[in-house]
Amino acid sequence: MTTYRELFRASGVFRIVVSQLIARFPAGMLSLAVLIHVEAQHDAYTAAGLVLAALAIGQAVAGPLTSRMFNRFGMFRVLGITLSIAAVATFSLALPDLSVPMYGLIAFIAGVATPPIQPAARSLYPSLVAPAMRTRLFAFDASVQEVIWIIGPVIVTFASLTIHSALGIVIAGLLLLAGGIWFLTIPQVRRAVSEPPAGRLGKVLASHALLMVCAVGFVIAAATAMLEAALVAIFGHGGIEAGLILALLCISSLVAGFAVGHAELTRWSLTRRLAVLAVGLGLAAMSTDFWWILAMGVVAGAGVAPVIAAITHMTSTAVAPGDVAEAFGWSTTAQLVGVAIGSSGAGLLIDEFGGQMALAGAAMVAVAGVALAALVSQGQPERDRHDGDSGRPRRVWRVQRLKA
């Protein structure tokens, strides 16, 4: 922890990390809150899954576009406008008795207007600390994000299942506003000037490393989205079992992230870390007993933050400095598409076969991710680029090509 404490001696790091953490709490709350609220209104998980898909698709469409707008309109202006629209749309999702298409439309607007706070923060990190500290900062950021998934589901399951189905959405909206406004008041954000992009929109996807990041992000997001829906379906309304399982899973992820997230990546790092998640989910799907799923959730959680730490660092080093925000936008988009497909797929499985089948589906998605990481293994970093004026080589991550 002494190593991590050194990070906060740099000006602005603490405020940026904490404010964006608060602003991003809806990421760990809104999907579950909308699932509970829409299902309560229409008594169908399929309907709730479709609304979640609309939310995630909106976020996916907006990810690269709004991040790239930093270069044209400035970070402060883009974040301020999107924050205002997203807050109004989020609160509107809490309205009762709307039709599924109306909930879907509002969710899509909320998704499109989601302020790109995470890409903004992560594009600022390299300018806040010395090159030698960047891997630690990205690892810390990826690990501390797990607080969102520890506290968020517990808040939602308690507020939405025991008080009112819409309360979780309202709380998510308030946290979005509070954290977003704080983030906008930070001097480094107000004065941020992005470097011009190296090419047209989408050119960053020519990076093999970024494509690998997007694929892995999709897998882990789809698997966790299916897990969330499965737990709510298995343990039903009126209890907090689902929230407790998710909280313990994320505590496990947080501990693992701090323990190994900053370690140097090797060829098989992603494969091993994804394998931990797949094993935990696969074993969890063998029973619907609360204590069994709780224990296997802890196993699965140990793979989450280490994977996120790895793909976050890879994203920051895979493209030119002016394209980092867009690269994070594409990475976020891939994860949100995973959420959309995972949520809607889980809804269908739950309505047709029950929650345990959705849990098995999450395990199968994770296994597919392990196979992908093994087949297109992450190569060793090549020391052929440098970080600015530091003179130190910058790691460039490339996906090893398959040999015929």
Side-chain angles (χ1 to χ4, degrees), residues 139-156:
F140 182 86
D141 178 79
S143 299
V144 79
Q145 296 295 324
E146 292 304 310
V147 174
I148 294 172
W149 309 99
I150 295 169
I151 301 176
V154 175
I155 293 174
V156 169

Side-chain angles (χ1 to χ4, degrees), residues 46-63:
T46 300
L50 291 173
V51 175
L52 290 181
L55 173 68
I57 291 170
Q59 293 172 323
V61 169

Side-chain angles (χ1 to χ4, degrees), residues 185-203:
T185 62
I186 298 172
Q188 287 85 352
V189 176
R190 296 200 310 268
R191 299 194 301 262
V193 178
S194 300
E195 295 188 35
R200 65 185 183 279
L201 177 66
K203 186 178 179 181

Side-chain angles (χ1 to χ4, degrees), residues 86-98:
V88 172
T90 298
F91 288 124
S92 298
L93 283 171
L95 295 173
D97 301 323
L98 298 181

Side-chain angles (χ1 to χ4, degrees), residues 218-289:
F218 171 88
V219 165
I220 200 165
T224 53
M226 296 183 77
L227 171 64
E228 278 191 3
L231 292 177
V232 171
I234 290 171
F235 296 105
H237 297 277
I240 62 170
E241 291 92 342
L244 289 176
I245 292 172
L246 290 172
L248 265 294
L249 182 149
C250 294
I251 290 173
S252 171
S253 177
L254 178 65
V255 172
F258 281 126
V260 304
H262 62 282
E264 184 175 356
L265 297 179
T266 66
R267 175 177 177 178
W268 298 105
S269 292
L270 284 177
T271 304
R272 288 196 298 266
R273 296 176 188 191
L274 280 168
V276 174
L277 173 66
V279 169
L281 291 178
L283 291 173
M286 296 176 65
S287 171
T288 57
D289 177 73

